[in-house]
Amino acid sequence: MAKITIDGKVIDVENGTTVLNAARQLEIDIPTLCDHPELTPYGGCRMCLVEVENARTLQPSCTLPVTDGMVVRTDTEKVHEARKFVLSMIFSERNHFCPYCQVSGGDCELQNSAYNEGMTHWPIQPNWHPYPVDASHPFIILEHNRCILCRRCVRACGELVGNFTLGFEERGANSTLVADLGLPLGESSCIGCGTCVQVCPTGALIDRWSAYQGKVVDVESTNTICMGCSIGCGIDVLTRDNRLVRIEGDWKAEVNHGLLCDIGRFNPMLEERERILTPMVKVDGKLKASTWEDALKAASEKISSNSGKITGVASTRVSLEALAKFKDICAAVKANSLLTTEDCQAVSAIYHKAARDGKPFEAKIEDLYEADCYLTFGEDLTKDHQVLSFFAKRRLPEGAKLIQIVEKETGFDNFATTTLNVNQKSLVDFLADLNNLLSGSGNANEVAQKYNLDSGLLQETVDDLRASNNTVILFGSRKDFHDNDQIVEAAVELAKAAKAKILSTKGNINSVGAAALGYEASGDLSGNLALMVLGDEELSQCTEQKFNKAASSIVFSSYVSALTVVADVVFPVANWLEQNGHFINFDGHILEEKAALLAPEGVFSNLEALEKLSAVLGAAGNIKWEDELKAFASPVAIA
């Protein structure tokens, strides 16, 4: 520990702590521009200069480690003059005409720093020339004239995301942010995650939607979770006047630590599906607008007339509370099965494995952070679970290995240490053969010949797995395999042979929760009344066709779809931004969803709508999801 004095305040901090972070612990503000709490200290902007007793010159606090007995002053005339000089130089280099910038008025760290130093004008005449604006990207606009060369975006793209798209060319004030080797951002290797936009301190990188819709002081902020996949990333939803303004990653979120993909950050801004705003009942073959009272009565009559021939279907984007209430209803009406919309036997196989073992066999997302070897198969994680790919890619410069077993091209192709192209139908056998090689009972040349692989690459894979001290096998499970149960067993056995941890991606955000409540991933609806809680899920055409085999249906949905069009009764429900609830993500974290928007008048949450139907049916059950978890053999430890 080191004892340090900052502006007369004394604090004991861990050795290696920077002066800047020590000051933050004392709630002493030291202005910064290039520094970001999630990035490695850089020391480029020199805004954080402080006086250190017995030091010859001012010191950058962001990179200066504390020493025992150090005395620091942050609020002296010498320090303020240095800050003003730094700001004057930055303003002179580019076109920083604040009234014309989208983030002017509170959201720009450069402008805020100038105001904090009492600056009202430029002491140095600007000596800039116009730079182009790159609007080629579908989500992001790059405005070079607003750039202050802090390199936050470059560092975030590499350190946090591991994509290394961004860099700089030229030197000094002529330095320019570039993507790849000078490609337009929209034509580059950018994956559109938007992390660069979130860390940018000025208006150099902005999204296409939130400009001029309200500053931080004008909008409301809600910390909730993303529903885009099974990870359940923590997000900060910014709203104003009950409309969505922007989505940012929550740096404090336990699961993703602020990282988001394009699906979580930008896709909600593109939502164009038609909302259902009133209950509807089929009359003479056509859906007609109805009241809640009449629609509930029609649904009750339909259910009564189909007693014993009812199938319950629920989306795994629906909360635990709503899933439990729906299970109550299905039990009361004697539904013959309880299904999810996932329709994937690979997901079921994972839960069946856990049931056979009677205990969890999978790791946690935290195990990805420091792994030194990643083995992936069954899914292109760079598309379906992109945040997981970030955790792997950013470890590669530190020497971590990335091995992928794939059938076709993936987004990992330019990052993988080794790519083994194996036909999906042969995957079970290949995993078993790889297991044998690790155990020393196989021949790499023979195995390579069997699967038409390069024997050198295969042997390199075996050597990397043997040499690794911390391997994680990432098993994609959003699609069916040739032999689902055998795939899961083979993957687990391979993990044992490699002394590795294993983690599967499963289905949607609440796949584990639905399994805990007894929902199955598939079943036959032919001839039955389908009682369906779809929420705001957008089903694939194939899944819609399967559910259309039901003789009739009652649907709870946020949006118009092929299933609502043919339904007998339709109930409007809130979307994911308009309701509260709990979810269990792919690695067993219990997450809480919080409403960021108010639902349209007459539209209720899934839980509220189901409670209305339950009351009409007289379904007296009171299943508690917390109790169901206690008896559930989960593939992951739930907490």
Side-chain angles (χ1 to χ4, degrees):
M1 298 290 287
K3 186 183 293 293
I4 179 174
T5 303
I6 306 178
D7 292 345
K9 297 180 180 180
V10 180
I11 186 174
D12 291 320
V13 296
E14 295 284 343
N15 291 326
T17 303
T18 63
V19 170
L20 176 61
N21 286 331
R24 285 169 174 163
Q25 292 181 40
L26 288 169
E27 297 184 349
I28 294 174
D29 180 51
I30 298 177
T32 65
L33 287 174
C34 70
D35 184 79
H36 190 281
E38 300 298 321
L39 300 174
T40 302
Y42 177 62
C45 71
R46 320 310 272 187
M47 269 297 292
C48 66
L49 294 174
V50 295
E51 277 194 68
V52 179
E53 194 171 271
N54 298 323
R56 185 173 60 86
T57 60
L58 297 178
Q59 301 293 310
S61 62
C62 70
T63 57
L64 181 66
V66 299
T67 58
D68 193 44
M70 179 182 280
V71 178
V72 178
R73 287 180 287 273
T74 72
D75 194 23
T76 67
E77 183 177 350
K78 187 176 181 180
V79 167
H80 286 292
E81 286 301 317
R83 291 175 186 168
K84 288 180 181 178
F85 177 74
V86 168
L87 288 166
S88 297
M89 293 298 291
I90 292 174
F91 275 110
S92 72
E93 290 175 349
R94 297 287 168 105
N95 179 358
H96 296 292
F97 287 98
C98 295
Y100 301 96
C101 181
Q102 296 91 332
V103 300
S104 174
D107 285 357
C108 176
E109 294 180 35
L110 174 64
Q111 185 185 56
N112 292 345
S113 295
Y115 283 144
N116 289 339
E117 295 302 322
M119 295 178 66
T120 58
H121 62 283
W122 299 316
I124 302 175
Q125 177 63 33
N127 184 30
W128 49 266
H129 67 272
Y131 287 87
V133 176
D134 184 349
S136 62
H137 198 281
F139 307 142
I140 301 167
I141 294 176
L142 170 55
E143 166 60 291
H144 291 284
N145 298 285
R146 310 293 190 216
C147 181
I148 61 172
L149 313 182
C150 69
R151 289 168 170 76
R152 274 197 200 175
C153 55
V154 176
R155 291 145 60 208
C157 188
E159 291 180 26
L160 301 182
V161 179
N163 214 55
F164 301 97
T165 296
L166 301 177
F168 273 87
E169 65 180 10
E170 301 297 342
R171 300 179 66 183
N174 293 324
S175 298
T176 305
L177 180 66
V178 294
D180 297 331
L181 297 177
L183 290 175
L185 190 62
E187 298 175 16
S188 71
S189 63
C190 173
I191 55 176
C193 70
T195 306
C196 58
V197 176
Q198 185 166 338
V199 301
C200 180
T202 66
L205 287 161
I206 62 172
D207 66 85
R208 287 184 173 272
W209 299 275
S210 63
Y212 303 114
Q213 293 217 40
K215 307 301 176 187
V216 170
V217 294
D218 303 322
V219 300
E220 296 179 7
S221 175
T222 305
N223 290 119
T224 183
I225 56 174
C226 174
M227 298 284 174
C229 73
S230 59
I231 301 174
C233 293
I235 58 175
D236 188 10
V237 179
L238 304 181
T239 58
R240 186 180 188 186
D241 299 330
N242 204 40
R243 71 174 186 274
L244 179 61
V245 173
R246 185 167 69 250
I247 293 176
E248 295 186 340
D250 179 3
W251 298 116
K252 297 179 181 179
E254 183 181 3
V255 173
N256 58 310
H257 298 281
L259 297 183
L260 289 180
C261 67
D262 57 337
I263 293 173
R265 190 187 300 272
F266 296 127
N267 273 24
M269 312 301 297
L270 303 171
E271 182 62 76
E272 293 182 346
R273 288 183 290 168
E274 183 181 351
R275 284 296 296 265
I276 299 173
L277 299 175
T278 183
M280 292 181 286
V281 176
K282 185 175 287 185
V283 179
D284 297 329
K286 294 183 179 180
L287 283 174
K288 304 287 186 180
S290 172
T291 64
W292 271 90
E293 182 179 14
D294 289 344
L296 288 167
K297 180 180 179 183
S300 177
E301 292 173 352
K302 193 75 177 176
I303 290 170
S304 297
S305 63
N306 283 270
S307 179
K309 296 180 64 178
I310 299 173
T311 299
V313 179
S315 167
T316 44
R317 284 173 59 96
V318 173
S319 71
L320 288 165
E321 291 86 351
L323 288 174
K325 176 53 66 176
F326 188 56
K327 184 176 180 179
D328 270 336
I329 292 172
C330 288
V333 301
K334 296 181 173 55
N336 49 38
S337 56
L338 199 57
L339 310 178
T340 72
T341 53
E342 288 180 345
D343 190 31
C344 181
Q345 291 300 314
V347 175
S348 295
I350 294 165
Y351 300 120
H352 295 162
K353 166 67 176 172
R356 289 193 298 271
D357 290 355
K359 61 181 181 180
F361 63 89
E362 293 192 25
K364 307 292 281 187
I365 193 172
E366 289 84 356
D367 292 304
L368 299 178
Y369 303 159
E370 300 299 329
D372 58 12
C373 184
Y374 303 88
L375 174 64
T376 73
F377 67 89
E379 182 181 315
D380 183 354
L381 294 175
T382 64
K383 294 181 179 179
D384 290 334
H385 290 84
Q386 203 171 80
V387 170
L388 297 185
S389 75
F390 299 165
F391 294 136
K393 289 195 299 184
R394 70 189 193 185
R395 293 278 295 149
L396 300 182
E398 300 175 33
K401 306 295 184 181
L402 174 57
I403 303 162
Q404 60 169 350
I405 303 170
V406 296
E407 191 171 31
K408 54 186 179 181
E409 292 182 354
T410 76
F412 269 151
D413 287 348
N414 293 328
F415 297 90
T417 310
T418 307
T419 297
L420 301 174
N421 294 109
V422 178
N423 189 290
Q424 180 181 296
K425 294 181 179 179
S426 304
L427 193 52
V428 172
D429 291 337
F430 178 73
L431 294 179
D433 286 335
L434 184 57
N435 188 338
N436 291 334
L437 291 175
L438 284 170
S439 304
S441 60
N443 182 284
N445 289 324
E446 292 178 1
V447 173
Q449 187 175 9
K450 179 179 178 180
Y451 299 100
N452 196 28
L453 298 172
D454 182 282
S455 60
L457 281 180
L458 182 58
Q459 186 59 55
E460 184 180 319
T461 298
V462 174
D463 293 341
D464 285 341
L465 290 172
R466 285 175 175 166
S468 169
N469 295 314
N470 189 6
T471 297
V472 176
I473 296 175
L474 279 168
F475 162 32
S477 53
R478 272 197 163 185
K479 64 178 182 180
D480 280 333
F481 297 96
H482 188 63
D483 300 292
N484 294 290
D485 288 318
Q486 293 92 328
I487 281 285
V488 176
E489 290 289 351
V492 172
E493 290 304 311
L494 178 62
K496 292 177 182 177
K499 298 179 181 178
K501 296 168 182 173
I502 188 169
L503 189 57
S504 67
T505 57
K506 304 174 185 68
N508 287 333
I509 174 64
N510 218 1
S511 176
V512 177
L517 286 162
Y519 287 77
E520 291 288 338
S522 64
D524 185 21
L525 281 77
S526 300
N528 286 352
L529 165 66
L531 186 55
M532 308 179 72
V533 182
L534 302 181
D536 60 3
E537 183 169 1
E538 187 171 10
L539 299 175
S540 68
Q541 191 174 44
C542 180
T543 304
E544 285 181 338
Q545 289 174 352
K546 174 196 170 183
F547 290 143
N548 262 333
K549 293 179 181 178
S552 55
S553 60
I554 298 169
V555 179
F556 293 78
S557 180
S558 306
Y559 299 98
V560 173
S561 70
L563 293 178
T564 63
V565 170
V566 299
D568 295 275
V569 184
V570 178
F571 293 103
V573 291
N575 66 26
W576 69 284
L577 285 169
E578 299 164 348
Q579 52 194 334
N580 302 303
H582 290 84
F583 296 76
I584 303 176
N585 78 336
F586 80 118
D587 76 328
H589 283 84
I590 298 178
L591 307 173
E592 184 176 5
E593 175 192 30
K594 296 179 181 177
L597 296 172
L598 295 175
E601 185 177 355
V603 175
F604 300 97
S605 70
N606 287 284
L607 177 59
E608 291 169 332
L610 289 170
E611 286 174 337
K612 289 179 178 294
L613 179 61
S614 178
V616 171
L617 296 173
N622 191 26
I623 294 174
K624 301 292 185 183
W625 62 266
E626 299 92 339
D627 296 334
E628 298 285 306
L629 289 183
K630 296 175 183 177
F632 174 55
S634 173
V636 291
I638 297 174

